């Protein structure tokens, strides 16, 4: 695993020009809030991802605009990384990314896909977010975004097939109702249909048929045996045209669909914000599809360098937030689909009518049919085929007024009258009229039964397609859920184990991360608490416990999915965790993640020292650089300095002859030692609202408690207490600086040496303070180097 050697940041997020020396080690960085800790984290994220997520997660800020230092231009920004063995350099600016060899290219590619940064806000987001939001964050970590896209496409195809089949079924019902009306039937079966046809034929004095399949033959025979077959055929043809014209003349259904579409669009357009969101949803969806397909390094619009994966993830998050608009647009899309089907079938019918009227060669003007057909084709292009965002309510209003539809009702009525005149001009006798009625009847029955058969075949074929697509969709979705759940199961043990390390003996159990099988993309976190199982941790856990649960979950995912990427960044993530649990965080990180390069930032100096002390306890100090940010200014940027232990700070003050500083540090160290031992030995102290105690009362209480617990060890080391009490500076006036001013430097050093001797008594060689264990009746350090029996 390649380790980072150094990070150099220029003109970026308040940093003018700073190099952070990793030296292939982990870094613990301490600095006050506003001193630039997170700027270094942001620089690493920008280097690998091409953006800074806190700047991109809201509409008011952006990496391009707000990442450059306020005194510099975007072209001045530069972030460089050097890795070891052999040295290879990765440099990123707003214009380009430079690589110094395949090794650094591989690291950069791993970093693009790895989720290696945990910020405080992310802890809150993960635990407090909705199940779908939590799922999206985990999906980003484990890399299942492409599977999500496949599942959505399968579902969309399935839904489209279902929608089209609903329309086919509706048309089939309409044709069935028409033929039942034609035959005077309440139910339609092959037997009832045959009986109905024969009843009608008998009424016209025609021979009955034995099978529905004989309809075409029966019609031909009736025409053939008539006195004037051509005249009869023409009359039947005219009646057929009139019947079809009558169906197109009823424009109420089309008008109702137009009004329904208009009202749905009007509802959407009344909210300007929603329609603007819809505009951008279409743009974002298309942009996401293109970026997923072509994976560009430069934005095709602004020609700035981009991280395709980061941008795709961000676009996915934004698209998921547009659910309200999505629901309304789905309704409009469904209305458009239904209208499109209606228009297509009507246009096809008009095309046949126009040809049929022309074939009569009677000089009948069929132009109105052409005009209406052209209007419907225009309507199809204008309304049914347009993207939802381009639909104009004003245009729909004009259409919904029905002027063209009303004109067609008039034109079709006049055309029917003209055709009726043509029939009367044929001088059809009563007997011939009966034949024409029979022929027209059989033609309509043949047409409707043929249409029903065709629609039934289409319906069955579509049902089969729906079954296949549903099987493919549900199988894929179920397999995806199982695979993701198996991933959850694989990390669940680690989450539980990590959480047990941080919270031993507490009443929690059975942490579960699981897919909600009733929803498409949803993840739940449950845990047991006292007598209850499967509870949402937010119900009973404190803020600190929730933070550590989020930390454990993040670390478990990193352990499983970032094995080849060296870096884990924890940016000020333990601010709500108490001292006892923070120590266990140190233990967890140093034991479980020793193969990773850690970059931990904190504003808490106490935890900073605990992290440093635990390095000595685990004998891993050589693997860490502990660094402090001394100060920051907008003109100078940040100033870094190597961390010095409490005793090193004291030595520097003594070497410089600064008696006041040395005495003050010695006093603080003494207070620190006494307070730590008061806690570790369960020393009884008077309760104070402030929690502050004088050195003298801490000293007396701890000394008494130590003598009671381990009298033999107290006797052996009584000279340490005697020397500390005998020291003038160690008396109860030690908190006054005047004492320090009047003391000789040797007296101050003697006081410091006495405090150091007390520290050595109460700690082991690894710097671990001794703890009293009541049940075991021992006082010992955590690493087991010292163990004293107590009374």
């Amino acid at each position: 695993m390649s380790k980072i050697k150094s990070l150099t940041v220029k003109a970026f997020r308040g940093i003018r020009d700073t190099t952070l020396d990793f030296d292939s080690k982990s870094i613990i960085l301490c600095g006050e809030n506003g001193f630039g800790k997170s700027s270094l984290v942001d620089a690493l994220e920008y280097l690998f991802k091409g953006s800074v997520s806190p700047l991109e997660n809201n509409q008011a800020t952006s990496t391009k605009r707000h990442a450059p230092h306020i005194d510099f231009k975007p072209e001045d920004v530069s972030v460089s990384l050097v890795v070891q063995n052999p040295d290879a350099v990765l440099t990123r600016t707003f214009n380009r990314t430079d690589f110094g060899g395949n090794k650094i290219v591989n690291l950069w590619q791993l970093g693009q896909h790895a989720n290696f940064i945990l910020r405080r806000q992310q802890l809150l987001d993960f635990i407090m977010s909705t199940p779908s939001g939590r799922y999206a964050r985990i999906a980003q970590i484990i890399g299942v975004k492409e599977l999500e896209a496949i599942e959505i496409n399968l579902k969309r195809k399935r839904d489209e097939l279902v929608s089209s089949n609903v329309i086919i079924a509706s048309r089939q019902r309409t044709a069935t109702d028409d033929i039942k009306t034609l035959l005077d039937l309440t139910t339609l079966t092959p037997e009832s249909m045959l009986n109905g046809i024969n009843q009608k034929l008998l009424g016209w004095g025609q021979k009955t048929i034995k099978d529905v399949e004989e309809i075409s033959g029966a019609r031909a025979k009736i025409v053939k045996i008539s006195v004037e077959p051509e005249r009869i055929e023409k009359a039947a043809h005219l009646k057929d045209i009139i019947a079809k014209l009558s169906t197109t003349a009823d424009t109420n259904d089309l008008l109702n669909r137009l009004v329904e579409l208009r009202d749905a669009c009007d509802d959407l357009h009344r909210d300007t914000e929603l329609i603007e969101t819809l505009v951008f949803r279409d743009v974002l969806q298309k942009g996401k599809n293109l970026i997923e397909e072509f994976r560009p390094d430069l934005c095709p619009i602004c020609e700035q360098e981009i991280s395709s994966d980061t941008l795709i993830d961000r676009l996915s998050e934004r698209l998921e937030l547009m659910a309200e608009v999505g629901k309304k647009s789905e309704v409009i899309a469904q209305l458009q689909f239904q209208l499109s089907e209606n228009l297509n079938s009507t246009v096809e019918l008009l095309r046949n009518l126009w040809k049929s009227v022309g074939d009569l060669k009677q000089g009948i003007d069929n132009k109105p049919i052409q005009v209406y057909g052209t209007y419907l084709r225009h309507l199809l292009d204008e309304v049914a085929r347009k993207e939802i965002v381009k639909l104009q309510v004003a245009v729909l209003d004009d259409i919904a007024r029905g002027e063209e539809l009303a004109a067609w009702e008039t034109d079709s009525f006049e055309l029917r009258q003209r055709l009726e005149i043509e029939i009367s001009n044929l001088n059809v006798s009563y007997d011939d009229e009966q034949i024409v009625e029979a022929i027209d009847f059989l033609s309509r029955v043949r047409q409707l039964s043929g249409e029903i058969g065709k629609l039934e075949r289409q319906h069955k074929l579509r049902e089969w397609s729906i079954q296949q697509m549903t099987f493919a969709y549900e199988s894929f979705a179920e397999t995806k859920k199982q695979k993701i759940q198996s991933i959850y199961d694989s990390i669940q043990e680690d989450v539980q184990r990590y959480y047990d390390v941080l919270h031993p003996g507490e009443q929690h159990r059975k942490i579960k991360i699981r897919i909600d099988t009733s929803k498409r993309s949803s993840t739940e976190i449950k845990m047991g608490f006292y007598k209850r199982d499967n509870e949402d941790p937010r119900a009973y856990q404190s803020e600190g416990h929730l933070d550590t649960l989020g930390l454990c979950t993040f670390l478990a995912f990193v352990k499983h999915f970032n094995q080849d990427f060296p870096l884990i960044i924890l940016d000020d993530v333990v601010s709500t965790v108490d001292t006892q649990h923070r120590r266990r965080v140190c233990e967890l990180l140093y034991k479980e993640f020793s193969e990773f390069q850690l970059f931990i930032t904190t504003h808490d100096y106490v935890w900073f020292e605990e992290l440093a002390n635990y390095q000595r306890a685990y004998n891993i100090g050589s693997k860490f650089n502990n660094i402090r940010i001394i100060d920051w200014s907008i003109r100078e940027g940040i100033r870094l300095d190597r961390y010095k232990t409490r005793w090193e700070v004291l030595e520097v003050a003594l070497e410089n002859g600064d008696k006041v500083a040395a005495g003050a540090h010695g006093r603080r160290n003494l207070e620190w030692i006494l307070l730590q031992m008061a806690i570790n030995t369960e020393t009884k102290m008077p309760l104070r609202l402030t929690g502050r105690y004088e050195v003298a009362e801490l000293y007396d209480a701890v000394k008494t408690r130590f003598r009671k617990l381990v009298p033999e060890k107290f006797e052996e080391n009584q000279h340490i207490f005697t020397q500390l009490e005998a020291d003038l500076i160690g008396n109860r006036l030690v908190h006054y600086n005047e004492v320090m001013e009047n003391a000789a430097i040797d007296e101050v050093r003697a006081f410091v040496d006495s405090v150091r001797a007390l520290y050595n008594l109460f700690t082991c060689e690894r710097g671990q303070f001794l703890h009293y264990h009541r049940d075991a009746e021992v006082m010992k350090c955590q690493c087991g180097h010292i163990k004293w029996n107590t009374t």
Side-chain angles (χ1 to χ4, degrees):
M1 193 183 292
S2 299
K3 293 295 181 72
I4 297 171
K5 192 172 181 180
S6 67
L7 171 71
T8 299
V9 184
K10 296 180 180 179
F12 185 89
R13 301 285 285 155
I15 301 174
R16 299 182 77 88
D17 189 350
T18 295
T19 296
L20 186 63
D21 289 320
F22 281 79
D23 293 329
S24 304
K25 303 176 182 179
S26 293
I27 282 184
I28 314 296
L29 180 67
C30 181
E32 295 181 23
N33 289 326
F35 270 29
K37 303 184 302 295
S38 294
S39 294
L40 292 165
V41 174
D42 293 345
L44 279 165
E45 182 178 19
Y46 169 72
L47 183 71
F48 286 103
K49 309 286 188 180
S51 62
V52 179
S53 54
L55 294 178
E56 298 294 338
N57 287 341
N58 62 78
Q59 296 180 350
T61 59
S62 69
T63 303
K64 179 70 174 179
R65 183 178 177 187
H66 297 99
H69 189 290
I70 198 168
D71 287 341
F72 293 86
K73 300 176 181 178
E75 54 265 31
D76 298 322
V77 171
S78 173
V79 180
S80 297
L81 193 73
V82 180
V83 297
Q84 63 172 358
N85 298 327
D87 288 356
V89 182
L90 167 63
T91 300
R92 188 164 207 155
T93 69
F94 280 111
N95 296 321
R96 69 184 191 282
T97 302
D98 294 332
F99 306 97
N102 291 332
K103 183 179 181 180
I104 200 75
V105 171
N106 292 338
L107 180 68
W108 179 70
Q109 290 174 337
L110 288 170
Q112 281 187 305
H113 300 282
N115 193 4
F116 59 91
I117 300 174
L118 182 64
R119 295 180 171 91
R120 162 72 175 151
Q121 186 59 46
Q122 290 172 296
L123 282 176
L124 295 176
D125 288 345
F126 181 77
I127 298 297
M128 300 300 181
S129 65
T130 62
S132 60
R134 185 180 300 119
Y135 176 89
R137 287 171 175 82
I138 294 177
Q140 183 177 356
I141 296 175
I142 63 180
V144 296
K145 284 289 185 180
E146 292 181 1
L147 298 183
E148 285 294 297
I150 294 172
E151 182 182 355
I152 290 171
N153 285 330
L154 287 173
K155 182 178 183 297
R156 183 181 296 116
K157 293 296 183 184
R158 190 276 310 270
D159 293 345
E160 288 176 358
L161 287 171
V162 170
S163 296
S164 65
N165 207 32
V166 168
I167 293 173
I168 290 172
S170 176
R171 290 167 60 186
Q172 187 178 359
R173 285 193 300 272
T174 300
T176 301
D177 290 340
D178 288 345
I179 202 169
K180 284 195 294 185
T181 301
L182 185 63
L183 299 176
D184 296 329
L185 299 174
T186 55
T187 58
L188 187 66
T189 64
E191 293 78 11
S192 66
M193 184 175 174
L194 181 61
N195 290 334
I197 292 171
N198 286 332
Q199 288 292 328
K200 290 285 187 179
L201 289 175
L202 288 172
W204 288 310
Q206 302 298 324
K207 291 182 179 181
T208 60
I209 60 176
K210 296 180 180 180
D211 192 281
V212 174
E213 299 295 329
E214 297 179 14
I215 290 175
S216 296
R219 182 187 183 282
K221 287 178 182 179
I222 293 173
V223 173
K224 187 176 181 180
I225 64 175
S226 63
V227 178
E228 297 182 67
E230 291 184 5
R231 186 163 57 89
I232 296 299
E233 183 72 64
K234 186 173 183 180
H237 186 52
L238 286 166
K239 287 186 71 68
D240 182 56
I241 294 174
I242 291 171
K244 290 178 180 177
L245 271 173
S246 297
T247 63
T248 64
D250 184 7
T251 59
N252 286 330
D253 182 61
L254 178 58
L255 183 59
N256 290 337
R257 291 184 188 275
L258 282 168
V259 171
E260 193 176 4
L261 178 61
R262 188 276 313 274
D263 291 344
C265 289
D266 189 40
D267 179 50
L268 183 66
H269 282 250
R270 274 198 299 269
D271 192 330
T272 305
E273 184 178 348
L274 282 182
I275 195 64
E276 288 177 355
T277 303
L278 181 59
V279 171
F280 283 105
R281 189 194 71 161
D282 292 343
V283 173
L284 295 177
Q285 185 63 64
K286 288 186 176 182
K288 178 174 174 287
N289 293 342
L290 289 172
I291 291 169
E292 285 178 333
E293 181 177 355
F294 295 105
R295 300 276 173 171
D297 294 325
L298 296 178
C299 174
I301 297 175
C302 64
E303 296 186 343
Q304 297 299 317
E305 188 171 336
I306 61 172
S307 165
S308 295
D309 289 325
T310 302
L311 186 54
I312 289 169
D313 291 340
R314 178 61 183 142
L315 289 172
S316 298
E317 291 174 4
R318 293 178 66 185
L319 286 166
E320 288 173 3
L321 297 176
M322 300 176 180
E324 182 180 358
V325 179
K327 290 177 182 178
K328 292 190 175 186
S329 64
E330 284 175 9
V331 170
I332 295 174
Q334 183 65 26
L335 292 173
Q336 282 184 292
F337 184 78
Q338 293 171 353
L339 180 59
S340 177
E341 289 290 311
N342 184 285
L343 289 172
N344 277 320
S345 61
T346 305
V347 166
E348 182 63 27
L349 178 58
L350 288 169
R351 185 182 294 112
N352 293 333
L353 279 173
W354 179 82
K355 185 177 185 303
S356 295
V357 173
D359 289 343
L360 291 173
K361 297 180 180 179
Q362 294 297 117
I364 301 175
D365 185 9
N366 62 357
K367 186 175 181 181
I369 301 175
Q370 183 182 27
V371 171
Y372 187 54
T374 302
Y375 162 73
L376 291 186
R377 283 193 295 273
H378 167 72
L379 180 59
L380 195 62
D381 292 333
E382 183 64 35
V383 176
R385 291 176 181 167
K386 270 199 171 182
E387 295 178 13
I388 295 170
V389 69
K390 295 180 181 178
L391 287 173
Q392 299 294 324
V393 176
V395 173
L396 295 175
D397 271 332
D398 290 339
I399 296 172
R401 290 192 185 100
E403 294 176 5
E404 289 82 359
L405 301 180
W408 171 245
E409 287 182 352
T410 301
D411 291 339
S412 62
F413 176 75
E414 293 176 354
L415 187 55
R416 289 199 307 275
Q417 284 187 318
R418 180 72 176 86
L419 293 169
E420 292 283 0
I421 293 171
E422 286 298 319
I423 292 177
S424 65
N425 289 338
L426 292 173
N427 297 317
V428 179
S429 65
Y430 175 79
D431 291 338
D432 288 341
E433 191 174 311
Q434 296 296 295
I435 294 173
V436 170
E437 289 289 344
I439 293 171
D440 180 57
F441 166 77
L442 290 173
S443 295
R444 291 176 64 193
V445 171
R446 181 179 61 182
Q447 176 192 341
L448 287 171
S449 73
E451 185 177 354
I452 291 171
K454 177 183 175 183
L455 290 170
E456 187 175 359
R457 289 190 296 274
Q458 288 180 354
H459 183 68
K460 288 182 178 179
L461 180 61
R462 199 61 53 91
E463 284 285 353
W464 181 85
S465 298
I466 290 171
Q467 290 176 4
Q468 298 303 307
M469 188 57 71
T470 300
F471 177 78
Y473 163 65
E474 292 180 350
S475 298
F476 184 89
E478 183 61 29
T479 301
K480 189 201 75 172
K481 286 180 180 179
Q482 290 175 0
K483 291 297 182 183
I484 293 176
Q485 186 60 57
S486 70
I487 292 172
Y488 289 176
D489 293 342
S490 69
I491 71 153
Q492 212 161 252
E493 287 187 15
D494 282 345
V495 175
Q496 183 73 61
R497 183 162 56 85
Y498 297 164
Y499 198 75
D500 288 342
V501 169
L502 301 187
H503 303 280
E506 298 183 20
Q507 295 297 318
H508 66 268
R509 64 190 180 281
K510 296 181 181 177
I511 296 175
K512 296 179 181 178
I513 307 173
R514 63 189 184 193
I515 287 282
D516 185 345
T517 55
S518 64
K519 300 175 183 177
R520 192 186 67 78
S521 298
S522 184
T523 294
E524 297 178 325
I525 297 181
K526 301 290 185 180
M527 68 188 304
F529 187 73
Y530 283 89
K531 296 180 180 180
R532 295 195 176 188
D533 288 326
N534 294 322
E535 292 285 354
D536 189 310
R538 290 173 293 186
Y540 298 107
Q541 299 298 318
S542 68
E543 186 179 10
H545 282 71
L546 292 176
D547 278 357
T548 53
L549 177 59
L551 174 63
C552 291
T553 306
F554 170 80
L555 291 174
F557 275 114
V558 167
K559 189 85 167 182
H560 280 253
F561 292 97
N562 287 13
Q563 284 292 337
D564 296 325
F565 188 73
L567 191 61
I568 298 177
I569 299 178
L570 303 177
D571 186 19
D572 229 348
V573 296
V574 296
S575 57
T576 63
V577 182
D578 58 46
T579 301
Q580 184 178 10
H581 292 99
R582 284 187 305 192
R583 291 173 182 166
R584 296 185 185 126
V585 172
C586 296
E587 177 184 347
L588 174 65
L589 292 173
Y590 291 165
K591 280 187 175 180
E592 296 285 346
F593 296 90
S594 58
E595 74 272 25
F596 288 91
Q597 204 168 1
L598 301 174
F599 182 21
I600 303 173
T601 73
T602 180
H603 68 277
D604 188 331
Y605 191 77
V606 174
W607 195 52
F608 179 57
E609 288 203 319
E610 287 171 347
L611 286 163
N613 290 336
Y614 269 78
Q615 292 163 22
R616 292 191 293 274
Y618 287 99
N619 198 27
I620 55 174
S622 61
K623 297 181 178 180
F624 283 82
N625 281 333
N626 302 312
I627 300 172
R628 291 184 61 194
I629 300 179
I630 300 172
D631 60 28
W632 172 88
S633 70
I634 198 168
R635 300 301 173 197
E636 299 297 329
I638 62 177
R639 288 201 302 135
L640 303 173
D641 189 26
R642 184 182 67 84
Y643 163 71
K644 299 180 181 65
T645 67
R646 295 170 180 267
W647 309 110
E648 288 174 329
V649 172
L650 267 172
E651 286 301 320
V652 171
L654 288 171
E655 289 174 7
N656 293 334
D658 191 342
K659 296 181 291 183
V660 173
H665 285 301
R667 182 178 66 247
R668 282 198 291 269
N669 284 3
L670 179 59
E671 290 174 354
W672 166 58
I673 295 166
L674 294 172
L675 182 59
Q676 191 68 58
M677 287 307 298
I679 295 171
N680 291 2
T681 59
E682 302 176 3
T683 300
K684 293 181 179 180
M685 299 290 296
L687 292 176
R688 297 263 177 85
L689 289 176
T690 62
R692 300 284 298 175
Y693 297 92
E694 296 292 330
V695 171
E697 59 185 329
L698 277 172
Y699 174 79
D700 291 341
V702 169
K703 175 183 174 183
T704 301
R705 180 64 169 163
F706 181 62
R707 180 166 49 196
K708 181 178 179 180
L709 287 174
V710 281
E712 291 184 2
K713 292 298 177 182
F714 176 81
E715 291 297 329
E716 290 178 15
N717 297 278
Q718 187 172 4
H719 62 281
I720 296 175
F721 296 92
T722 301
Q723 181 62 40
L724 192 57
E725 293 166 6
D727 196 310
L728 174 64
I729 303 174
N731 69 15
R732 300 187 180 202
L733 299 179
V734 72
H735 54 280
Y736 292 114
N737 287 336
E738 301 93 272
V739 176
M740 301 296 179
E741 288 284 0
N742 295 325
I745 190 68
D746 288 342
E747 291 179 298
V748 176
R749 178 174 287 281
F751 166 62
V752 169
D753 289 343
S754 297
V755 173
R756 184 62 185 267
L758 188 68
Y759 171 78
N760 291 338
L761 172 63
F762 288 146
T763 60
C764 69
E765 61 186 33
R766 290 188 174 181
Q768 294 293 299
F769 277 99
L770 305 181
H771 281 254
Y772 168 54
H773 297 267
R774 180 185 297 274
D775 293 338
E777 295 185 342
V778 296
M779 183 180 289
K780 68 183 186 71
C781 61
Q782 188 175 8
C783 53
H785 284 76
I786 296 177
K787 184 177 181 181
W788 300 334
N789 294 324
T790 60
T791 58

